Amino acid sequence: MRYFKIEEDKAAGYTGYVDGSHRWKLPGIICPACKATWSAIAKDYPSVDLTPVASLANFEKARPEPADEYERLCELVRPLLPPGAVLEPGAGFGPIVGKAQGRFGQLVSPVPWVLLIQREALEKLQAEGLRGLKGCRTELRFRQRASPELLELELLPVGRVHPDCLPSKRPPICHRCGRNGLSLPDKLLLDASTIPSHLDLFRLEDFSTQLICTERFVDACRRLGLDGVVFHPLPAK
């Protein structure tokens, strides 16, 4: 199986613009072990509804918290997560709330770590038998009458890069907060032993801004004429 990285097709000529964020989020963390204060992006779960959780205000404002408080909030969220979800400081939950305008392709990547899709396109891909396609509602307010229904694809963090594309000397992952402190490699090499066999679309666990799909996904998009993104082949070892 071949794998591809998904990116916005900037040459497609679409004018679509999205300005929004997920309704709820975990705070950042102040780690007593590695001494880092940090928050990541990309590990987002738009299907997760936090309204059953008490004190929702704890999940509405971006801020760092001491590790004990961050971990307490994680445990409040954990029972609501989909199978395979991984929590990380800054993880988002619920629909993207915000504004949108312009013309959009069938697939939309407003930022590199988010993938939206028009409902009709999602239904066509699901009819092709592609695995792991979960579309979640958004709460985007459009400034035009003829507006598309954009859904957010929930991408689970699975699969990792191969050690061969990482520095030979690298800091250990923090045992308390999970921070690895590595920059994205210039040339990605996937670790084939970690790639799931049951998903055609996912994000990497260790570099979660990277959206990855299988050759089956690419072939279906091309056959159906779905546009808005481009696919770059990635080697695996």
Side-chain angles (χ1 to χ4, degrees):
M1 177 65 70
R2 298 173 64 206
Y3 300 96
F4 295 77
K5 176 181 176 179
I6 302 173
E7 290 184 341
E8 175 191 10
D9 185 359
K10 296 182 179 180
Y14 289 109
T15 61
Y17 174 75
V18 174
D19 180 14
S21 60
H22 292 94
R23 183 178 296 280
W24 303 290
K25 60 185 69 64
L26 279 174
I29 189 171
I30 305 169
C31 182
C34 67
K35 309 303 180 183
T37 298
W38 66 284
S39 178
I41 54 177
K43 285 190 173 72
D44 299 319
Y45 304 100
S47 71
V48 174
D49 180 4
L50 293 193
T51 53
V53 177
S55 303
L56 271 180
N58 288 326
F59 301 93
E60 293 175 351
K61 184 179 179 181
R63 69 202 184 280
E65 289 282 4
D68 288 344
E69 174 64 4
Y70 166 77
E71 290 162 357
R72 183 186 75 84
L73 295 176
C74 283
E75 293 313 306
L76 295 178
V77 169
R78 202 176 301 279
L80 304 174
L81 297 178
V86 176
L87 288 179
E88 189 174 62
F93 312 98
I96 291 179
V97 180
K99 301 177 181 179
Q101 63 179 348
R103 295 188 306 106
F104 294 89
Q106 296 297 303
L107 290 157
V108 182
S109 184
V111 291
W113 55 91
V114 171
L115 188 60
L116 309 179
I117 188 169
Q118 297 200 35
R119 178 176 292 277
E120 182 181 2
L122 175 60
E123 292 172 350
K124 289 179 178 179
L125 288 174
Q126 290 172 332
E128 293 284 320
L130 296 178
R131 302 159 297 181
L133 302 189
K134 184 177 182 179
C136 304
R137 69 183 183 89
T138 60
E139 294 184 6
L140 295 172
R141 301 185 305 277
F142 286 85
R143 297 181 180 180
Q144 68 248 24
R145 289 186 178 180
S147 58
E149 182 181 4
L150 293 179
L151 305 174
E152 181 179 3
L153 288 165
E154 185 167 76
L155 307 182
L156 293 176
V158 293
R160 305 179 69 86
V161 301
H162 196 279
D164 284 358
C165 72
L166 297 174
S168 57
K169 295 182 179 179
R170 50 188 182 271
I173 296 175
C174 178
H175 69 275
R176 182 69 184 269
C177 69
R179 184 175 183 270
N180 65 28
L182 291 174
S183 299
L184 181 69
D186 292 333
K187 294 183 179 180
L188 287 180
L189 174 63
L190 302 180
D191 185 342
S193 68
T194 69
I195 302 300
S197 59
H198 64 291
L199 297 174
D200 285 306
L201 184 65
F202 53 95
R203 67 174 76 250
L204 293 181
E205 181 179 349
D206 47 359
F207 293 98
S208 299
T209 59
Q210 305 303 293
L211 310 184
I212 310 298
C213 67
T214 63
E215 188 174 15
R216 295 177 72 244
F217 184 88
V218 174
D219 288 346
C221 287
R222 290 173 175 167
R223 185 169 59 253
L224 295 169
L226 305 184
D227 61 0
V229 297
V230 291
F231 304 101
H232 303 289
L234 288 177
K237 179 179 178 181

